[in-house]
Amino acid sequence: MTVVKSERLPNGATTAMLASEAEEGGDDEPGSSMDSNSNNIFMSQAEAKAIVALTDTHQLIAGEKWFLVDAKWWERFVKQTDTGSSVSSDSVGPIDNSAILVKEIDGSLTLKANMVEKLDYVLVPKEGYIKLKQVFGIFRPEHEMERGIIESGLFKKQMKVEVYPLTLRVALAHRETDAKLIVLSRAQTLADLVERVREALKSEHDKFKLYIHHSAAEDDMYEPIDVEQKGASSSLEDLLYPNQLIVLDQLADDGTGHIPESRINKMNS
């Protein structure tokens, strides 16, 4: 098996195979059917193979959505496409992403760190994923891992599936131990960051400042996020890193906050 980096890159031309493959089956081989004596649902071999081909060749297009599926589940599905004239829901089971997910401090499920495409997970275009979900179902609703396409790269821009969106911890300056999690796309802006932080912390203060808290023992400092200087429309891609702690300091009328001036690193702002 070829090991691929965790961010998917374009690898083929757009195809519209699902509808045409299903139509070729005619009345004798519908896209899916149900066993009248059980809850077992069948997907035609033609439609199953079309989903596999679509996943292998579909071009990355801005605005489209892809879904992460556990590689072992996908392998079981692909294996069944080569046996018989159809694939049954009983033989494959519901989409189960338990092995690639981890529970965060707020109880939400996120993708485990350092997962590798095709080794740990497979990226399936939305068109194919919907068909899979209709027939096989999903083990738990929160196992659904939807991802968007972003344009990335400092010098040469290219489309990629944002497998790992920007997960940040956010807290009020006087209550840093009570941090919340927010998830943003790197393609979003500083204005989006400000809005999401205030929303997560339920802050309605008009006067506030945002900081990145660098809490390493040798450098326990607060780096100001100067939205006006950087520009509200600036992309987050090159400004923030995953798991950073973003602190919102609510200011008094005289402009003073909870963070001492001595701990503010103004050189890096």
Side-chain angles (χ1 to χ4, degrees):
M1 178 182 291
T2 303
V3 177
V4 183
K5 289 286 186 180
S6 64
E7 300 285 7
R8 183 185 179 92
L9 300 178
N11 64 349
T14 304
T15 58
M17 301 180 65
L18 292 181
S20 60
E21 289 286 354
E23 288 171 2
E24 288 176 7
D27 295 335
D28 296 329
E29 190 180 36
S32 62
S33 61
M34 179 178 286
D35 187 335
S36 59
N37 297 319
S38 72
N39 292 325
N40 198 18
I41 304 175
F42 296 85
M43 175 181 283
S44 72
Q45 187 184 52
E47 187 170 26
K49 285 183 176 293
I51 291 173
V52 174
L54 180 73
T55 298
D56 288 340
T57 63
H58 192 60
Q59 185 179 5
L60 298 182
I61 300 173
E64 286 194 344
K65 300 297 183 182
W66 290 62
F67 290 80
L68 278 72
V69 171
D70 179 82
K72 289 186 173 61
W73 185 93
W74 179 257
E75 184 179 354
R76 191 161 62 245
F77 167 70
V78 172
K79 185 177 180 181
Q80 290 296 317
T81 64
D82 294 324
T83 62
S85 60
S86 62
V87 181
S88 72
S89 58
D90 282 355
S91 65
V92 178
I95 299 169
D96 186 354
N97 287 336
S98 302
I100 60 174
L101 300 177
V102 63
K103 184 175 286 189
E104 296 290 354
I105 56 174
D106 64 351
S108 63
L109 293 174
T110 59
L111 185 64
K112 288 180 179 178
N114 304 316
M115 294 287 97
V116 179
E117 187 183 354
K118 295 188 179 179
L119 182 64
D120 300 301
Y121 66 86
V122 173
L123 287 165
V124 181
K126 182 177 181 178
E127 182 182 357
Y129 180 82
I130 289 174
K131 297 282 186 180
L132 293 175
K133 187 178 175 182
Q134 286 174 343
V135 174
F136 304 106
I138 189 164
F139 182 61
R140 291 173 64 182
E142 56 266 37
H143 280 199
E144 192 156 275
M145 293 283 113
E146 180 183 280
R147 295 294 187 264
I149 307 293
I150 64 170
E151 192 175 37
S152 180
L154 186 59
F155 300 108
K156 184 180 180 181
K157 298 291 185 181
Q158 58 184 355
M159 296 292 183
K160 70 176 182 181
V161 178
E162 191 177 23
V163 173
Y164 285 97
L166 197 58
T167 302
L168 301 167
R169 294 173 295 137
V170 298
L172 294 170
H174 59 288
R175 295 177 59 186
E176 286 194 31
T177 55
D178 187 21
K180 312 292 184 184
L181 284 181
I182 62 170
V183 180
L184 292 159
S185 168
R186 288 169 177 80
Q188 290 183 272
T189 65
L190 276 176
D192 296 322
L193 173 67
V194 172
E195 181 180 348
R196 289 294 303 280
V197 170
R198 296 189 70 186
E199 179 184 301
L201 299 176
K202 297 180 172 59
S203 174
E204 297 181 357
H205 273 61
D206 292 329
K207 293 183 178 181
F208 64 89
K209 289 183 179 179
L210 285 185
Y211 298 88
I212 304 171
H213 186 185
H214 301 285
S215 56
E218 68 278 3
D219 184 27
D220 189 4
M221 300 292 288
Y222 291 84
E223 178 185 343
I225 300 176
D226 193 330
V227 177
E228 185 176 342
Q229 182 189 48
K230 295 181 183 297
S233 60
S234 297
S235 167
L236 300 178
E237 182 174 15
D238 301 315
L239 298 176
L240 298 172
Y241 301 97
N243 300 317
Q244 284 184 311
L245 176 59
I246 308 301
V247 175
L248 186 147
D249 195 6
Q250 297 177 152
L251 307 179
D253 291 338
D254 62 1
T256 58
H258 296 82
I259 300 173
E261 285 290 323
S262 61
R263 296 182 64 192
I264 297 176
N265 186 356
K266 297 179 180 179
M267 293 181 65
N268 291 335
S269 62

